Amino acid sequence: MRMLNYLNYICIAVIGFATCEVSRQKLEEIAIESLDCRENTCTNLKYPLAAEVAYFSEKVTKHLRNYESLILHSSHLANLPRKLFLKLPQLVAFHVLECELQQVDRECFEGAKSLRRLNLGGNALRVLDSNTFELATQLEELNLSDNQIEDLPTTIFRPLKNLQRINLSKNRLMTISQYIFSQLGSLNSINLDSNQLSELPGELFRDQRKHLSDFSARNNQLERIPFNMFSKIAHLSLSFNRQLRSLHLSAEINELEATNCGLESVKLDGRVVGVQLETNLNLNELKISEPQDLEHLYVANTNLYKLDFLSKATKLVDLDVTGIVNLADLPEITSAKGLERLSFTYDNLTSDHMDMLPHLKDLNYLEISHEEGSEIFIKDLDEDFFVEESELNCGQLADLLEFELPKDTAILEDRLVGDPRGPMRCGMS
Ligand SMILES: *[C@@H]1O[C@H](CO)[C@@H](O)[C@H](O)[C@H]1NC(C)=O
Ligand SMILES: *[C@@H]1O[C@H](CO)[C@@H](O)[C@H](O)[C@H]1NC(C)=O
Ligand SMILES: *[C@@H]1O[C@H](CO)[C@@H](O)[C@H](O)[C@H]1NC(C)=O
């Protein structure tokens, strides 16, 4: 009895293995008889069967020899067609858009010695073999966005030594191997937006640390970001990770964007230039160790109660502190002599530091929100203020600003072109 079971098991295993092998090799190759193309854009290829793979013949590719890029779209291709690059070795870019593509096999890239940009975005890819891109070694940009990829073999990108940009957004990745980008020394832009990642391995960018320029993992379920994950980065986007409560980074960051998360505490130890943290309703702690390089700070709709470091932010150009209920006063920003844009909420408490506004000579955009709405003042090149979406008069304006408007300031409501009413003139006369 026992023996019989054992034999059965072996049998099933062998059969299972065999069918699998057979179905992989048995892809029936079907020559594409005609191609419906306009210039280098071809549509209406119908090879929807998973057991069939189309291939490009001499005949149909003849008129495409002068193009460096080829676009296939509005087609139904279960498998990526074969022999394209054998027939058209000059192709630098290949886009397969909305073709319901499910499988891509290694053979498809035979002869792809010029291929630098591959776009397979917006298809139905779910599983990719680890050798898929083995023959596409010259790739610099790979777009796999908007597919259904759940998992990536650890070494799938390893042959792509020239890869610079990869887009894996809008897939179903729940985890990512710490080795997935190993040895990719040229990779500088990585997009993992809109997946289901809850964690990023601390060593994920071990081989990109010196030159990673863009990393985006918006709209995931990230709970933490390892402290030393980045050392220097131009753009870091982490917005819409509602589970992210705390963010502590040591990196030098040009632009950090982490809006609409669940952040309570943010500590940035390295040099930062732009920081966007709007709509983190529970954010009550923000520490920026090197505020002297800060140029843009957006912290609207947070729960902050002090922004002491701003007194040292001498290079600040943009500041948005709208909708911060706990902020007792406008932060002290008199050292930010070059401030150009300021947005804040006015209430009866916000008054002491209003005196500084007239001293901000470069201020050309001022947005004041209050109970009844908001006013926007835009100084134009002639040093006038324009007012949008408001019906207020000069007196109200002066009250609100609590300082006398500069002489001969013209206040223009945002009117339709041709509105006969002239500008409102305010200021000391
Ligand atoms: C990548 O693919 C997505 C989905 O089709 C598309 O929206 C995006 O523009 C593509 N990006 C590039 C650089 O081609
Ligand atoms: C990645 O694809 C998304 C759409 O799916 C697109 O919005 C984004 O711009 C792409 N990013 C890059 C760097 O190509
Ligand atoms: C603000 O001031 C106005 C008039 O000076 C007063 O009527 C109002 O109650 C004050 N509001 C608060 C929240 O103190």
Side-chain angles (χ1 to χ4, degrees):
M1 197 60 194
R2 200 163 266 222
M3 190 61 187
L4 195 60
N5 269 340
Y6 184 60
L7 281 177
N8 269 345
Y9 179 74
I10 299 263
C11 229
I12 290 162
V14 168
I15 290 165
F17 184 66
T19 22
C20 176
E21 275 298 287
V22 169
S23 73
R24 240 168 152 36
Q25 291 180 355
K26 212 175 61 180
L27 280 184
E28 194 184 341
E29 286 199 351
I30 299 186
I32 297 172
E33 291 297 336
S34 69
L35 261 186
D36 182 359
C37 304
R38 262 193 159 187
E39 308 256 313
N40 62 337
T41 301
C42 308
T43 54
N44 284 316
L45 285 151
K46 299 284 178 229
Y47 298 91
L49 300 180
E52 286 178 2
V53 61
Y55 71 88
F56 289 93
S57 62
E58 201 73 34
K59 188 176 81 181
V60 295
T61 48
K62 217 174 350 185
H63 68 288
L64 293 168
R65 289 205 191 117
N66 293 327
Y67 295 104
E68 288 207 335
S69 79
L70 178 68
I71 302 165
L72 304 184
H73 79 80
S74 304
S75 294
H76 195 164
L77 296 164
N79 290 287
L80 189 66
R82 293 178 178 171
K83 303 189 185 170
L84 175 65
F85 302 102
L86 291 174
K87 299 289 180 309
L88 302 172
Q90 84 287 357
L91 284 180
V92 172
F94 183 36
H95 305 262
V96 183
L97 313 172
E98 291 172 46
C99 291
E100 300 173 57
L101 195 63
Q102 294 167 29
Q103 289 285 342
V104 175
D105 54 28
R106 180 182 173 280
E107 287 95 312
C108 300
F109 300 109
E110 271 171 346
K113 56 181 191 294
S114 309
L115 185 66
R116 292 204 289 276
R117 294 193 297 280
L118 177 63
N119 184 357
L120 303 177
N123 281 287
L125 298 172
R126 215 159 55 81
V127 179
L128 292 170
D129 284 342
S130 60
N131 65 5
T132 305
F133 301 114
E134 210 168 67
L135 302 174
T137 53
Q138 301 307 306
L139 274 189
E140 293 171 6
E141 283 182 36
L142 176 57
N143 190 354
L144 293 170
S145 170
D146 200 6
N147 277 283
Q148 295 153 30
I149 303 169
E150 288 170 15
D151 193 20
L152 285 165
T154 305
T155 55
I156 185 168
F157 304 127
R158 201 68 47 91
L160 307 180
K161 297 291 187 256
N162 297 336
L163 194 66
Q164 295 168 19
R165 303 165 63 81
I166 190 163
N167 195 340
L168 291 164
S169 65
K170 295 199 198 162
N171 276 287
R172 298 179 183 166
L173 297 169
M174 297 177 79
T175 59
I176 193 148
S177 158
Q178 76 169 92
Y179 302 111
I180 193 87
F181 304 127
S182 287
Q183 299 171 32
L184 303 182
S186 306
L187 190 59
N188 60 51
S189 168
I190 299 170
N191 189 328
L192 293 174
D193 290 356
S194 302
N195 277 283
Q196 292 156 32
L197 298 165
S198 56
E199 225 169 358
L200 296 174
E203 296 287 282
L204 187 60
F205 304 127
R206 212 183 53 174
D207 296 339
Q208 289 81 33
R209 285 177 71 85
K210 297 220 174 63
H211 55 265
L212 187 63
S213 106
D214 290 78
F215 176 65
S216 188
R218 296 159 56 99
N219 193 27
N220 277 277
Q221 279 123 46
L222 294 174
E223 288 167 17
R224 63 189 72 81
I225 306 292
F227 172 67
N228 283 321
M229 179 157 206
F230 308 95
S231 65
K232 186 174 174 197
I233 184 163
H235 298 275
L236 176 57
S237 303
L238 299 168
S239 298
F240 295 94
N241 279 285
R242 315 270 182 199
Q243 275 84 348
L244 193 63
R245 308 223 178 289
S246 149
L247 184 62
H248 187 180
L249 297 171
S250 60
E252 187 177 310
I253 305 172
N254 219 43
E255 290 289 335
L256 169 67
E257 187 210 294
T259 71
N260 297 274
C261 295
L263 287 168
E264 291 164 14
S265 161
V266 174
K267 295 180 195 165
L268 304 172
D269 292 352
R271 176 179 172 272
V272 286
V273 176
V275 176
Q276 299 177 40
L277 294 169
E278 304 98 290
T279 320
N280 279 286
L281 301 178
N282 298 321
L283 181 66
N284 57 48
E285 181 182 44
L286 173 58
K287 287 192 173 152
I288 295 188
S289 313
E290 298 186 29
Q292 57 278 9
D293 289 307
L294 191 63
E295 292 176 19
H296 315 278
L297 180 66
Y298 304 92
V299 285
N301 305 317
T302 56
N303 200 28
L304 293 166
Y305 58 94
K306 57 175 189 181
L307 288 163
D308 295 350
F309 60 83
L310 281 181
S311 62
K312 297 198 195 101
T314 50
K315 291 192 192 150
L316 200 63
V317 175
D318 265 314
L319 178 63
D320 185 354
V321 290
T322 307
I324 308 185
V325 180
N326 293 339
L327 211 57
D329 198 347
L330 257 185
E332 163 82 63
I333 42 175
T334 33
S335 61
K337 297 270 186 278
L339 195 73
E340 291 178 17
R341 287 171 292 274
L342 173 63
S343 307
F344 64 91
T345 299
Y346 173 88
D347 59 37
N348 294 5
L349 298 171
T350 319
S351 57
D352 288 358
H353 290 161
M354 287 286 244
D355 301 352
M356 70 188 171
L357 292 183
H359 302 290
L360 296 169
K361 298 293 180 219
D362 292 334
L363 197 63
N364 55 35
Y365 179 98
L366 178 61
E367 181 175 358
I368 304 178
S369 304
H370 53 85
E371 278 170 13
E372 281 103 55
S374 77
E375 278 98 41
I376 297 171
F377 306 87
I378 298 172
K379 199 193 263 183
D380 74 3
L381 296 174
D382 302 328
E383 307 268 313
D384 287 340
F385 280 134
F386 287 78
V387 181
E388 279 179 12
E389 54 182 285
S390 71
E391 288 182 13
L392 77 183
N393 60 42
C394 297
Q396 286 167 330
L397 201 59
D399 276 354
L400 194 64
L401 287 172
E402 295 194 339
F403 66 83
E404 294 257 38
L405 289 164
K407 195 170 162 60
D408 293 331
T409 299
I411 307 291
L412 299 180
E413 289 183 63
D414 188 24
R415 292 175 188 161
L416 293 175
V417 176
D419 188 323
R421 288 176 295 174
M424 179 164 86
R425 299 229 162 243
C426 300
M428 300 165 290
S429 50

